[in-house]
């Protein structure tokens, strides 16, 4: 995500990646936001101006992602954010979201049965070997 708007506080999609169940890359593309970019957030996003010169339009990205997801089970973390930025929907019965999977959530305030999502970084460190530096520096889809 890059910053758009006068202050750069609004976010816009600048890179989209989709992998299959075996981790093979199905799509990894930069996306040119409709709005003027006022903050590349390179430290976090990894995106630079030169990356967007030959980037897909948002519409092209939406079309490609929609085709890839059609009829598939979508697996990820906090997927409502990804779907919202792409302005796409997906049947809830075909979504597996680690942010909403109760055994991976943390307990909320004491005395309640509610649970809260954990950070992807923390889940990765706990469940995947060799990821001590997960999400250190700029993202790499």
């Amino acid at each position: 995500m890059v910053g758009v708007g006068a202050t750069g506080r609004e976010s816009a999609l600048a890179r989209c990646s989709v992998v299959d169940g075996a981790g093979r890359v199905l799509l990894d593309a930069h996306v040119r936001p409709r709005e003027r970019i006022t903050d590349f957030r390179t430290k976090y996003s990894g995106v630079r101006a030169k990356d967007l010169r030959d980037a897909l339009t948002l519409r092209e990205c939406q079309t490609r992602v929609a085709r890839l997801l059609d009829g598939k089970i979508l697996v990820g973390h906090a997927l409502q954010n990804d779907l919202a930025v792409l302005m796409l929907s997906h049947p809830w019965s075909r979504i597996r979201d680690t942010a909403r999977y109760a055994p991976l959530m943390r307990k909320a305030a004491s005395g309640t049965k509610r649970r809260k999502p954990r950070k992807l970084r923390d889940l990765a460190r706990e469940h995947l070997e060799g990821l001590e530096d997960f999400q250190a520096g700029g993202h790499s889809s």
Side-chain angles (χ1 to χ4, degrees), residues 64-128:
R64 289 186 186 189
V65 172
R67 282 188 195 135
L68 289 170
L69 298 183
D70 188 37
K72 303 289 190 312
I73 294 176
L74 178 58
V75 179
H77 187 80
L79 291 166
Q80 74 278 3
N81 298 322
D82 299 313
L83 292 169
V85 77
L86 284 163
M87 293 179 267
L88 294 175
S89 62
H90 198 70
W92 68 268
S93 62
R94 301 191 68 74
I95 292 177
R96 307 296 183 266
D97 193 332
T98 57
R100 301 206 178 270
Y101 182 58
L104 295 178
M105 297 174 83
R106 61 185 168 88
K107 291 181 181 174
S110 62
T112 68
K113 291 188 177 185
R114 288 193 60 205
R115 298 181 74 75
K116 293 181 127 185
R118 293 176 59 202
K119 294 179 180 180
L120 177 59
R121 177 193 64 220
D122 297 337
L123 290 172
R125 284 179 179 157
E126 183 178 317
H127 295 279
L128 302 173

Side-chain angles (χ1 to χ4, degrees), residues 2-39:
V2 293
V4 296
T7 63
R9 296 183 131 219
E10 293 179 56
S11 296
L13 180 68
R15 187 171 183 180
C16 181
S17 299
V18 179
V19 297
D20 67 11
R24 289 182 294 257
V25 176
L26 303 177
L27 174 68
D28 184 20
H30 286 94
V31 180
R32 191 176 333 105
R34 293 177 181 161
E35 305 89 350
R36 187 175 75 82
I37 299 170
T38 52
D39 184 356

